[in-house]
Amino acid sequence: MTTAGEGSSIATSRVSRGAALGKLAAKQTLRRVIVKAGTIAVSETRREQLLNQADQRMARDFAAVLGQMRGAAMKIGQMLSVIDLGIVDERSQEAFRRQLSRLQASIDAMPFETVRPVIESELGPVDKLFASFDTDAFAAASIGQVYRARTHDGRDVAVKIQYPGVRSAVRADLKNLALFLRMWKSTVPTVAAQDFLEEITDGLSSELDYRQECANQARLAERFHDHPFIHVPAPVEELCSDSVLTTEFVEGMNAQQVAQLPSEERDRVGEIIYRFYIGSLFQDCEFNGDAHPGNFVYMPDRRVAFLDFGLYKQMSPEAVAMERRAAQLCSAADGEGLRELLMEAGVVRPNSSVTAEQCLQYTLDAAGWNFVDEYVVVEPIDVSSAMLGVVSPATRSFQSMRSERLPPEHLFSRRLDFLVFGTISHIGAGGNWYRIASEWIYDTPPATPLGVAEAQWRSRRKAS
């Protein structure tokens, strides 16, 4: 398979892309067998050290393989960098997460000559399109890589160009996805559930549509153009096409840099992230579904710029009202009311044996941090445990709800909750999430200075 730094394209066939993942799984299995077989005569401590080293090598290999593959495979790696699904033993989780963090913002970029034909076939010669164009990509992600340029009217822009062949690669990855997920079937059997696969398929297909992403981003840039702490970079529509997305360039700190800031500043960024993703769901009935640490920039003026609007979702007001009512019932610990609501929504079957207590416990296990009226710093292990609690047959919560089914739009909103708190935990932020969410769950007065500023902004919008 051609690697990112040395070739002219990415592997696109199902066989070659599946083989890369298969070799990775086989290599990890062989390592652990060799370690176990070779440590019969050594101490348990030494055996654990060797297994730890094997897991860390696996983490490096995993990040390298997914980085080279791009497409759906790399997208899954980005998700796993935020939410640990138990792929490696507990002792190696931090090293695994650290390696996969390389996939959040950038990987080794392909040479510009590899992607030049993409932009020139759709828009024209680069030297005529831009006053200047830096041919060294500053970011390379799952679907494309990003360059800095300047327009003829003096604007600094970011130009995202899809990898040649990435659409075929994604189709191949989606066909291989069930096999890929079965690599860890003994750990997380239900991660290969049909609803999960369909949601991933729909999401990745949306991300390949740069024209729709441009439309999403243009609308959101207009909506938030005067927001006090949220910024959406505006697209330059005349420099966009099927495979090219040109937007305003944004300077600022990435997630790794934000994680080094004082706790008060991290908490502020975490609250902004929460308000942008979760607040938009409840207040606007739509939201950006691709929350991860590589998709925000902390600007020098203390606003947070949000990036990547390919995976953008809208919910019906009725579905949002159902989510709001469920949150109210959970906060009140009203299991009977919650069970009745879930039956009305078709989540719990009419003849189900699931009890009110089980409904309440399942929901609290999945998103308990939203219902605690105190300052909470959500740790990565909290998010991982919560997600495993709703997908792993080893947990009591799963066993009680395994025959019930969330409608797709609610499944997506639950995924969003995990990804948002995974991102917040990545920067080490805390907050009273219950008080913040009460603004849109109970229509309470703003609980924080950011809440006051946003309420004033929304009031001005309604008045204009």
Side-chain angles (χ1 to χ4, degrees):
M1 182 182 67
T2 302
T3 63
E6 64 187 15
S8 59
S9 187
I10 56 178
T12 58
S13 76
R14 180 181 179 185
V15 173
S16 62
R17 294 178 71 78
L21 294 172
K23 288 177 182 177
L24 178 63
K27 183 189 291 186
Q28 172 65 359
T29 300
L30 180 61
R31 277 178 181 160
R32 297 183 71 82
V33 169
I34 291 172
V35 168
K36 289 179 179 179
T39 55
I40 295 174
V42 301
S43 69
E44 183 66 19
T45 300
R46 177 57 177 157
R47 178 179 176 277
E48 289 299 309
Q49 289 174 344
L50 291 172
L51 285 171
N52 184 47
Q53 291 170 5
D55 278 341
Q56 294 200 35
R57 285 194 296 271
M58 186 266 192
R60 290 194 295 271
D61 288 349
F62 196 82
V65 169
L66 297 189
Q68 290 170 4
M69 291 181 71
R70 272 63 167 188
M74 182 179 169
K75 199 71 183 177
I76 292 168
Q78 290 176 339
M79 182 185 75
L80 294 177
S81 72
V82 176
I83 303 173
D84 170 44
L85 294 181
I87 290 174
V88 297
D89 294 338
E90 185 176 351
R91 61 178 175 271
S92 300
Q93 286 173 357
E94 184 54 38
F96 188 67
R97 187 180 298 113
R98 191 165 54 248
Q99 287 294 328
L100 291 182
S101 292
R102 293 177 56 235
L103 303 177
Q104 289 168 2
S106 184
I107 55 173
D108 293 337
M110 291 182 177
F112 177 65
E113 293 309 312
T114 301
V115 298
R116 180 193 286 271
V118 175
I119 186 172
E120 296 198 336
S121 66
E122 296 186 5
L123 291 172
V126 171
D127 57 354
K128 292 185 178 180
L129 293 170
F130 302 95
S132 63
F133 192 100
D134 184 350
T135 57
D136 291 327
F138 70 83
S142 56
I143 304 299
Q145 54 195 44
V146 192
Y147 297 85
R148 187 168 183 174
R150 179 165 291 177
T151 63
H152 289 291
D153 59 4
R155 289 174 290 173
D156 288 328
V157 293
V159 185
K160 182 166 66 171
I161 307 173
Q162 282 188 16
Y163 301 119
V166 74
R167 295 173 189 238
S168 297
V170 166
R171 285 194 293 270
D173 284 344
L174 292 174
K175 291 177 181 178
N176 283 327
L177 187 55
L179 174 63
F180 167 73
L181 294 171
R182 284 199 297 271
M183 289 165 61
W184 294 284
K185 186 176 181 180
S186 62
T187 304
V188 196
T190 58
V191 80
Q194 187 61 34
D195 286 346
F196 180 85
L197 295 175
E198 289 176 0
E199 188 261 313
I200 290 287
T201 299
D202 180 63
L204 281 163
S205 299
S206 298
E207 290 193 64
L208 289 167
D209 188 348
Y210 275 12
R211 289 197 181 277
Q212 184 58 55
E213 181 173 355
C214 177
N216 293 340
Q217 193 156 342
R219 185 163 52 85
L220 272 291
E222 173 60 26
R223 175 183 298 172
F224 289 101
H225 79 278
D226 59 347
H227 195 280
F229 51 80
I230 290 171
H231 179 65
V232 176
V236 182
E237 297 187 42
E238 66 271 21
L239 294 173
C240 297
S241 64
D242 289 345
S243 306
V244 181
L245 180 64
T246 302
T247 67
E248 166 201 352
F249 181 82
V250 178
E251 294 270 15
M253 294 182 179
N254 60 29
Q256 288 72 28
Q257 293 167 323
V258 170
Q260 305 306 312
L261 295 175
S263 60
E264 183 177 352
E265 198 74 357
R266 296 198 308 271
D267 290 353
R268 183 179 181 277
V269 174
E271 181 180 340
I272 293 173
I273 291 170
Y274 186 64
R275 288 182 178 278
F276 176 71
Y277 288 107
I278 306 298
S280 293
L281 187 161
F282 285 99
Q283 298 180 97
D284 302 319
C285 297
E286 57 184 58
F287 56 92
N288 185 339
D290 198 13
H292 78 77
N295 281 348
F296 77 86
V297 174
Y298 189 34
M299 301 169 67
D301 63 7
R302 301 185 78 215
R303 290 184 297 167
V304 175
F306 292 93
L307 315 174
D308 201 333
F309 290 84
L311 194 57
Y312 200 79
K313 292 287 184 177
Q314 294 180 319
M315 289 183 73
S316 68
E318 294 76 17
V320 173
M322 182 266 189
E323 295 257 350
R324 181 178 288 110
R325 182 59 182 152
Q328 293 171 352
L329 293 167
C330 284
S331 296
D334 184 354
E336 292 291 346
L338 180 61
R339 186 179 188 281
E340 183 177 341
L341 177 69
L342 295 179
M343 288 187 66
E344 291 173 1
V347 177
V348 173
R349 295 167 294 116
N351 61 344
S352 174
S353 62
V354 172
T355 67
E357 181 182 356
Q358 288 171 332
C359 287
L360 182 61
Q361 191 60 53
Y362 184 82
T363 307
L364 292 175
D365 285 350
W369 44 72
N370 290 295
F371 308 112
V372 180
D373 188 9
E374 59 185 60
Y375 178 87
V376 175
V377 178
V378 181
E379 301 289 345
I381 188 62
D382 298 327
V383 183
S384 302
S385 297
M387 186 165 184
L388 286 172
V390 300
V391 302
S392 174
T395 65
R396 184 178 301 174
S397 286
F398 174 84
Q399 289 296 333
S400 67
M401 296 289 285
R402 66 181 305 159
S403 298
E404 318 310 326
R405 182 178 181 274
L406 273 177
E409 58 187 350
H410 296 295
L411 178 69
F412 202 94
S413 65
R414 296 287 62 73
R415 172 187 180 273
L416 175 71
D417 202 53
F418 290 129
L419 291 178
V420 168
F421 277 97
T423 300
I424 290 171
S425 72
H426 189 87
I427 63 172
N432 189 320
W433 313 110
Y434 172 81
R435 290 285 177 92
I436 296 168
S438 291
E439 296 173 23
W440 50 76
I441 298 300
Y442 292 105
D443 198 26
T444 61
T448 69
L450 289 177
V452 172
E454 182 161 59
Q456 293 171 345
W457 172 76
R458 287 187 176 276
S459 179
R460 290 195 303 270
R461 281 184 63 208
K462 288 181 180 179
S464 62

